[in-house]
């Protein structure tokens, strides 16, 4: 056990966080209500320094991607990421603040919460359809909360659940490099994984599902988190070789390999399309982006920030063809050769990526009795319950009540939110229900620059921008009437995480108060 004196008690004030060196490792020390707490200072997601994050009474939120940790226990409370951070004892001796740390805990930035295993006398079974983060978190939550029955994850993919959002950022990466957990982890915690199995039917009356190989699985509780499937447009020639959608590691690897030194056309200028463009800009002979809008990210970030992103890509050689679409693909011997646009432009195209969005993968539910919206999303309540007893849904396929939007049913297709959905579903099944109360948070990385975004900006009517987009330092407030509904930033950490934490506590930011000063509201975090 290592002991380090962090300072005199009188040196610290309530609400203060401090990074402390302990045996060449970093520990976060927090004084709250006169008590001292110490946890690991590296976020368990990507290792961001938590002392640079957003502290609010009881929790600290990662400055990069918004993961939230309890400062008393180190437990992860909001996502992304699966692991908690270590917790270290703190003692007061002779007016000194002393941190005690075990070498093993110091050596790792990650801590897995204790989990139970399957018990022979528990015949209950939870089946989780879909191999994404929602079901991985759900399975782990069940084991953390004492569920000793059988847990089965059914995935149509041929690899373990992985970090899907890396596919458009690092397209040559292999699935084993981005697996959320290892085979050993699932075995150790009695979580069964069925790969290359697709569910064809859900029969709630019989409490069973049917698989594409003709087999059946019985369940006591069911969680459906099948995510999206790429939207397919009826474009002549879209069946030519090297016309891709990006959904799996195989898709990403094939695109990366076949785009080397070739002419690439990307349909869509939102997150998938632009991250792919950034990855291929220095690898392909040419990269052309086609979309109906006027600038990239127009609907989400607005025209000014979209123009900034456009210029950034153009400086790397990417060309844009806006306010038009691909009318047809032409090929030779079954191989793509060119894309013909609706405005008559003909682009050389050896490879095309159709980044035009996804639709919910819920077709197999149409005869199940589970309530679907007109667009195919599953309707759930605050506990991720569907209209069918013991059937839950999570992730990109659901519309759920968002508390920051007055309980409006919304669809949020963010990596972070899928994690939280899984946790809430797991708690519900374990008999410890909690309402979903997470603030949407996402990010995009292009050419080494990371834009972060929190909130629900749908229907915003104005943008209040501070900073200088040309200097790569800005914060944008998206407002609706007189209230801020979303915040985006670049080079202004941790303001997006601070906004997420304020919103999570039920706080609001008025348009009036951010007109002149971008961060005057941050001081209110201390009052929660």
């Amino acid at each position: 056990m290592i002991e380090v004196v962090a300072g005199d008690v009188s040196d610290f004030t309530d609400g203060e966080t401090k990074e402390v060196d302990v045996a060449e490792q970093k520990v976060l020390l927090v004084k709250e209500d006169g008590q001292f707490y110490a946890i690991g200072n590296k976020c368990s997601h990507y290792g961001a320094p938590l002392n640079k994050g957003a502290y609010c009474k009881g929790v600290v939120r990662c400055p990069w991607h918004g993961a939230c940790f309890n400062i008393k226990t180190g437990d992860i409370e909001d996502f992304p990421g699966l692991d908690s951070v270590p917790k270290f004892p703190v003692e007061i001796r002779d007016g000194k603040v002393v941190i005690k740390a075990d070498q093993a805990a110091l050596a790792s930035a990650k801590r897995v919460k204790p989990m139970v295993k399957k018990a022979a006398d528990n015949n209950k079974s939870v089946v989780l359809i879909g191999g994404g983060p929602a079901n991985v978190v759900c399975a782990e939550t069940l084991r953390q909360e004492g569920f000793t029955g059988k847990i089965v994850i059914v995935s149509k993919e041929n690899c373990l659940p992985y970090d899907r959002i890396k596919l458009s950022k690092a397209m040559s990466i292999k699935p084993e490099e981005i697996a959320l957990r290892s085979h050993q982890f699932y075995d150790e915690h009695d979580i069964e994984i069925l790969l290359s199995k697709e569910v064809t039917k859900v029969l709630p009356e019989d409490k069973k599902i049917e698989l594409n190989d003709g087999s059946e699985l019985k369940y006591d509780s069911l969680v459906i988190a099948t995510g999206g499937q790429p939207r397919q447009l009826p474009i002549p020639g879209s069946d030519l070789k090297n016309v891709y959608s990006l959904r799996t590691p195989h898709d990403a690897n094939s695109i990366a390999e076949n785009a080397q030194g070739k002419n690439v056309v990307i349909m869509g200028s939102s997150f998938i399309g632009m991250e792919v463009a950034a990855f291929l800009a220095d690898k392909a002979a040419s990269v052309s982006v086609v979309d109906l809008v006027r600038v990239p990210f127009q609907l989400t970030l607005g025209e000014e920030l979209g123009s900034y992103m456009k210029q950034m890509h153009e400086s790397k050689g990417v060309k844009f063809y806006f306010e038009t679409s691909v009318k047809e693909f032409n090929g030779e011997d079954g191989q793509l050769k060119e894309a013909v646009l609706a405005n008559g432009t003909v682009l050389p195209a050896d490879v095309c990526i159709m980044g035009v969005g996804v639709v919910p993968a819920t077709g197999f539910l149409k005869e199940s009795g589970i309530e679907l919206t007109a667009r195919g999303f599953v309707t759930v309540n605050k506990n991720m319950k569907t209209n069918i007893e013991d059937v839950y849904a999570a992730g990109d396929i659901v519309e759920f009540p968002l508390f920051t939007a007055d309980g409006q049913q919304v669809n949020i297709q963010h990596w972070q939110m899928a994690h939280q959905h899984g946790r809430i579903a797991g708690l519900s099944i374990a008999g410890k229900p909690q309402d979903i109360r997470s603030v949407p948070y996402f990010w995009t990385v292009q050419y080494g620059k990371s834009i972060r975004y929190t909130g629900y900006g749908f229907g915003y009517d104005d943008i209040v921008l501070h900073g200088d987009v040309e200097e790569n330092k800005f914060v944008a407030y998206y407002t609706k009437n007189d209230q801020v509904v979303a915040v985006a930033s670049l080079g202004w950490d941790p303001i997006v995480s601070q906004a997420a934490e304020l919103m999570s506590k039920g706080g609001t930011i008025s348009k009036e108060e951010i007109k002149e000063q971008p961060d005057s509201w941050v001081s209110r975090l201390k009052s929660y």
Side-chain angles (χ1 to χ4, degrees):
M1 186 71 73
I2 299 169
E3 295 188 358
V4 169
V5 176
D8 294 332
V9 171
S10 58
D11 292 339
F12 299 90
T13 58
D14 264 3
E16 180 181 357
T17 65
K18 180 182 180 181
E19 181 186 69
V20 180
D21 288 320
V22 181
E24 300 183 355
Q25 301 296 326
K26 306 295 184 184
V27 170
L28 181 70
L29 181 68
V30 182
K31 184 180 183 183
E32 185 171 283
D33 294 334
Q35 301 294 313
F36 288 89
Y37 306 95
I39 62 174
N41 191 47
K42 287 184 178 180
C43 175
S44 62
H45 183 225
Y46 281 172
L50 294 178
N51 66 305
K52 302 292 187 182
Y55 166 74
C56 185
K57 190 171 182 178
V59 297
V60 62
R61 191 177 286 267
C62 169
W64 293 354
H65 308 130
C68 193
F69 302 91
N70 186 301
I71 59 103
K72 296 181 181 180
T73 64
D75 289 350
I76 189 167
E77 294 190 351
D78 206 345
F79 304 91
L82 298 173
D83 297 309
S84 298
V85 296
K87 171 186 178 294
F88 305 103
V90 181
E91 293 182 2
I92 306 301
R93 294 187 206 150
D94 301 323
K96 304 287 186 181
V97 180
V98 180
I99 299 174
K100 301 171 70 175
D102 176 80
Q103 283 275 23
L106 273 175
S108 176
K110 301 179 180 182
R111 175 176 60 85
V112 177
K113 292 175 70 175
M115 299 187 200
V116 299
K117 293 191 174 185
K118 186 181 184 306
D121 61 350
N122 190 334
N123 295 319
K124 297 289 186 182
S125 177
V126 177
V127 174
L128 312 172
I129 308 174
N135 278 341
V136 173
V137 172
C138 184
E140 294 190 21
T141 300
L142 285 166
R143 289 291 188 237
Q144 291 162 3
E145 298 299 331
F147 177 74
T148 59
K150 183 178 182 180
I151 299 176
V152 184
I153 296 177
V154 182
S155 174
K156 70 177 182 180
E157 300 208 42
N158 61 5
C159 55
L160 291 177
Y162 55 87
D163 191 344
R164 188 184 300 278
I165 61 172
K166 287 188 177 178
L167 294 183
S168 56
K169 301 175 177 69
M171 301 184 72
S172 300
I173 204 159
K174 302 305 178 186
E176 57 270 20
E177 298 177 272
I178 53 175
L180 298 177
R181 296 296 196 192
S182 65
H183 278 290
Q184 180 183 352
F185 181 92
Y186 295 116
D187 290 343
E188 185 178 330
H189 299 289
D190 290 334
I191 299 170
E192 187 178 348
I193 307 274
L194 297 181
L195 299 177
S196 303
K197 303 285 187 183
E198 188 166 0
V199 177
T200 56
K201 191 173 291 187
V202 174
L203 302 166
E205 289 185 4
D206 300 320
K207 285 205 161 184
K208 70 178 183 180
I209 61 173
E210 294 181 356
L211 307 181
N212 58 341
D213 61 2
S215 62
E216 297 178 346
L217 275 179
K218 299 283 288 185
Y219 66 82
D220 292 284
S221 295
L222 180 69
V223 181
I224 306 164
T226 43
Q229 56 192 24
R231 188 185 305 278
Q232 300 296 324
L233 300 180
I235 300 173
S238 58
D239 57 346
L240 289 166
K241 187 178 178 182
N242 285 354
V243 177
Y244 292 97
S245 295
L246 174 57
R247 189 63 185 171
T248 68
H250 177 74
D251 295 335
N253 295 169
S254 295
I255 292 168
E257 179 180 352
N258 290 316
Q260 292 282 342
K262 300 295 179 62
N263 298 306
V264 176
V265 171
I266 299 171
M267 294 175 59
S269 63
S270 193
F271 295 93
I272 296 296
M274 300 317 299
E275 288 177 359
V276 170
F279 179 83
L280 295 178
D282 63 351
K283 302 173 181 67
S286 69
V287 177
S288 303
V289 178
V290 181
D291 205 340
L292 290 169
V293 295
R294 291 186 293 275
V295 294
F297 307 104
Q298 179 179 320
L299 299 180
T300 304
L301 298 180
E303 293 214 16
E304 186 166 357
L305 295 190
S307 295
Y308 160 78
M309 300 297 287
K310 177 174 179 284
Q311 292 168 14
M312 181 170 66
H313 279 272
E314 287 175 332
S315 73
K316 303 295 183 179
V318 177
K319 294 183 179 180
F320 291 92
Y321 298 84
F322 283 126
E323 298 185 86
T324 188
S325 60
V326 174
K327 183 174 69 174
E328 64 178 325
F329 296 112
N330 292 328
E332 198 172 285
D333 298 325
Q335 168 75 48
L336 178 67
K337 288 299 180 184
E338 62 185 23
V340 181
L341 307 189
N343 64 8
T345 302
V346 179
L347 300 176
D350 303 298
V351 173
C352 177
I353 300 96
M354 299 176 72
V356 290
V358 297
V359 294
T362 55
F364 68 103
L365 298 176
K366 287 183 179 177
E367 297 177 4
S368 67
I370 295 169
E371 183 180 342
L372 301 176
T373 70
R375 297 190 299 158
F377 294 105
V378 181
T379 302
V380 296
N381 68 6
K382 295 177 181 179
N383 306 122
M384 311 314 295
K385 292 182 177 180
T386 71
N387 61 307
I388 303 291
E389 188 70 21
D390 297 321
V391 177
Y392 302 79
D396 292 358
I397 66 168
V398 304
E399 286 193 358
F400 70 101
L402 182 64
F403 84 101
T404 58
D406 297 323
Q408 178 186 346
Q409 292 285 133
V410 302
N411 174 248
I412 304 286
Q413 297 185 13
H414 299 342
W415 188 246
Q416 159 263 342
M417 191 61 78
H419 286 66
Q420 191 65 272
H421 285 177
R423 177 174 179 267
I424 296 299
L427 289 170
S428 295
I429 296 169
K432 302 176 182 180
Q434 289 184 15
D435 291 350
I436 180 74
R437 192 177 171 84
S438 185
V439 180
Y441 199 116
F442 71 83
W443 66 96
T444 183
V445 181
Q446 294 166 45
Y447 308 112
K449 298 178 177 63
S450 185
I451 291 180
R452 321 193 197 289
Y453 181 105
T454 192
Y456 182 63
F458 181 80
Y460 71 86
D461 53 34
D462 196 12
I463 303 174
V464 179
L465 186 66
H466 290 276
D468 188 341
V469 294
E470 301 299 328
E471 296 296 323
N472 301 316
K473 182 179 175 64
F474 60 80
V475 56
Y477 290 95
Y478 298 81
T479 64
K480 193 173 184 180
N481 299 323
D482 62 349
Q483 186 170 319
V484 172
V485 292
V487 184
S489 79
L490 173 65
W492 207 303
D493 293 338
I495 199 160
V496 168
S497 289
Q498 289 169 326
E501 189 53 36
L502 184 75
M503 292 178 188
S504 76
K505 294 292 195 294
T508 59
I509 305 169
S510 71
K511 183 176 181 179
E512 186 64 31
E513 67 182 314
I514 49 92
K515 279 185 175 178
E516 302 298 330
Q517 294 293 327
D519 56 2
S520 59
W521 55 269
V522 171
S523 60
R524 294 211 301 279
L525 281 170
K526 296 179 180 178
S527 65
Y528 288 97

